[in-house]
Amino acid sequence: MAPLAGLLHELGHRVEGVDAHLYPPMSTLLEDLGIPVRLGFDAAGIPDDIDRVIIGNAVPRTNVEVAAVLARRLPHLAQAEAVAHYVLARGQQSLVIAGTHGKTTTSAMLSWILETTGADPSYLVGGLPQWNPRGFRLGDGRWLVIEGDEYNTSFFDRGPKFLHYRPHLFILGPVEFDHADLYPNLDAVLTAFRAGAAQVPRDGAVVVNAWSEGALAACRDATAPIITVGNGTTADLRLVSWDGGEGASRAVLSWRGRNLALELCQPGLHNTQNAAVAVASAAVCGVDPAAATEAMAAFPGVARRMEVVGEAGGIVVVDDFAHHPTALVATIAAARQQWPERRLVIAFEPRSLTAARRSFHEAYLAALSGADMVLVAPPYHSDRLAADEVLDRAALAEDLATRGVASLMPERGDDPATVLVAAIHRGDVVVGCSSGDFGGFHRKLVDALQAGGTT
């Protein structure tokens, strides 16, 4: 919502906002743009001269300002509808990055390639690219890169956001079961993605991560050309080889028989796969593949994706967005690559409704077993689930112990950083994983370490 507000501001609209809470980096972004935000919902705060209200998907029908908007018959749109109404209406063609994992990173990678190779793109990325802390850009080129979320659009539109984006390219990363509060099973997830792929016109393309069986299955109803990225010899872009050294990744790609060298500052095979998908997408858009891989060598990354927050007392503190079990596996593998000789501590906040569910016990057990020590915070949304549906952290601790992994399970009300600081020591790497702000965990931990809180 904040980057969209910035785009609308740059398009010349007068924009104001309201939310229950606001914190960096989005509070800083909006302040820098001069976009005022009220804190606390109040129907009396809605301006009389408003032309249209844009409602985020986290705002429920019971919200007092939503009730006032409906009672006053004010024109309103969901966030995704507003992108189509105001941004796509400029005539650009959209490159929609979808999938369960890697959307933000792949969106940023493709944006970086198009920007550095002179395509002058517009983009709207869910995270904050390290080279552009605003998360959006309004260019005059042909392309609009946009992250296509499969989560519901709004309380009045339960379909996925990406169905509003009219894709010229539909770029599919890995597809798995997620968002159990919306989708009852994997078939329902696949149905949503198939609708997105089916929207692509015949002069567009579906670019698919062929390492994912789910992504391949999601292309079933596409009539546009399908561009595959994978290891197979028939892939349009093939990952020929990969070497994950400390602090970097190197690979050889083959684009329709033409070999290309790829170097990437970001660790982890999953990031190399994301980069390969971005290179293939750029090539479909007319960018020379060699220029695309050359651009990736200088890709600076995205905030909250293996981002080092600080180091104190000989301990490195890292922030990462991982919350799905598969994402945790990839993050742990990348951390092992980056810091191969150091003890790895994973602090995990089950932030989403899916992450809070007991049904994911085995998946989280398998994922977290790759760490040396684990802290699992209380599930953020446990009050929205029945008691027998909530992730059983005590059982998780017992099962981790049988695999030789020490664990900490702080109680609700305990500060996870305070609990953890007494259990870590010089040489550790702590990766805090959450899809939210984790209550400021990373900064609190660095501050505690700087104050000499460990040995």
Side-chain angles (χ1 to χ4, degrees):
M1 287 289 279
L4 174 60
L7 269 180
L8 296 174
H9 176 77
E10 287 210 352
L11 286 168
H13 300 285
R14 194 190 77 182
V15 184
E16 299 177 7
V18 58
D19 208 337
H21 307 284
L22 193 63
Y23 44 81
M26 291 307 168
S27 58
T28 306
L29 167 64
L30 294 167
E31 183 178 355
D32 291 345
L33 292 171
I35 297 175
V37 179
R38 286 185 290 113
L39 292 183
F41 291 98
D42 180 358
I46 301 174
D48 292 333
D49 60 347
I50 196 166
D51 296 301
R52 182 166 276 116
V53 178
I54 300 172
I55 301 174
N57 75 335
V59 182
R61 169 65 178 81
T62 54
N63 180 282
V64 294
E65 293 202 27
V66 167
V69 166
L70 298 178
R72 290 171 55 180
R73 308 293 195 271
L74 294 176
H76 56 277
L77 297 171
Q79 172 263 329
E81 290 180 297
V83 171
H85 185 84
Y86 290 106
V87 184
L88 287 175
R90 301 172 70 232
Q92 291 173 305
Q93 292 182 299
S94 59
L95 313 177
V96 180
I97 294 84
T100 308
H101 314 295
K103 293 186 291 293
T104 297
T105 298
T106 307
S107 298
M109 287 174 166
L110 181 54
S111 299
W112 171 260
I113 291 171
L114 294 174
E115 188 172 348
T116 56
T117 57
D120 195 18
S122 298
Y123 53 77
L124 188 62
V125 178
L128 296 181
Q130 296 286 15
W131 77 95
N132 179 359
R134 303 199 310 179
F136 69 91
R137 183 178 190 271
L138 193 63
D140 291 322
R142 177 183 178 186
W143 308 114
L144 167 69
V145 180
I146 184 162
E147 183 173 331
D149 191 359
E150 71 273 24
Y151 207 69
N152 65 296
T153 301
S154 67
F155 74 85
F156 52 87
D157 182 348
R158 307 307 287 177
K161 296 186 187 75
F162 58 63
L163 293 182
H164 292 279
Y165 294 154
R166 304 196 291 269
H168 178 77
L169 292 190
F170 193 63
I171 302 161
L172 265 175
V175 175
E176 294 187 68
F177 177 60
D178 196 7
H179 304 307
D181 52 320
L182 291 178
Y183 299 103
N185 49 46
L186 177 59
D187 283 343
V189 173
L190 291 174
T191 297
F193 284 107
R194 284 169 179 153
Q199 285 188 322
V200 182
R202 293 182 186 275
D203 64 343
V206 177
V207 181
V208 58
N209 179 323
W211 288 283
S212 167
E213 291 296 327
L216 290 169
C219 298
R220 187 185 67 188
D221 297 330
T223 58
I226 296 175
I227 307 298
T228 55
V229 181
N231 288 342
T233 56
T234 61
D236 294 280
L237 188 144
R238 183 163 66 95
L239 179 60
V240 179
S241 64
W242 176 76
D243 174 38
E246 185 174 345
S249 298
R250 295 174 181 83
V252 175
L253 306 179
S254 177
W255 171 251
R256 295 174 175 172
R258 178 184 175 189
N259 280 0
L260 307 160
L262 173 70
E263 293 192 9
L264 200 63
C265 296
Q266 289 70 38
L269 177 59
H270 68 294
N271 276 321
T272 299
Q273 293 173 346
N274 290 336
V277 170
V279 168
S281 302
V284 175
C285 292
V287 176
D288 180 76
T293 53
E294 182 180 351
M296 286 309 306
F299 176 66
V302 184
R304 300 209 59 211
R305 271 65 181 177
M306 292 294 290
E307 179 182 8
V308 175
V309 177
E311 182 170 1
I315 296 171
V316 178
V317 179
V318 182
D319 188 4
D320 196 82
F321 195 74
H323 54 284
H324 188 282
T326 302
L328 283 171
V329 170
T331 290
I332 290 170
R336 293 289 191 196
Q337 178 189 333
Q338 185 82 356
W339 296 281
E341 305 299 326
R342 304 179 73 161
R343 189 173 77 138
L344 179 61
V345 180
I346 297 294
F348 171 50
E349 181 189 37
R351 182 88 177 194
S352 69
L353 267 172
T354 300
R357 291 178 182 269
R358 187 169 302 191
S359 58
F360 276 77
H361 174 98
E362 292 299 327
Y364 280 121
L365 173 62
L368 294 171
S369 294
D372 296 305
M373 174 181 276
V374 170
L375 178 146
V376 180
Y380 189 79
H381 287 298
S382 59
D383 59 338
R384 295 174 61 184
L385 296 170
D388 61 354
E389 292 181 313
V390 178
L391 183 69
D392 187 338
R393 293 185 301 139
L396 185 60
E398 291 179 6
D399 289 345
L400 285 168
T402 66
R403 301 188 179 199
V405 179
S407 63
L408 299 168
M409 304 288 167
E411 298 297 326
R412 191 169 301 279
D414 292 344
D415 179 45
T418 302
V419 171
L420 183 60
V421 76
I424 54 179
H425 52 72
R426 181 175 294 274
D428 288 350
V429 174
V430 179
V431 184
C433 300
S434 173
S435 57
D437 71 332
F438 207 161
F441 167 84
H442 307 85
R443 191 72 258 161
K444 289 178 181 178
L445 184 59
V446 172
D447 290 345
L449 293 172
Q450 289 175 338
T454 190
T455 59

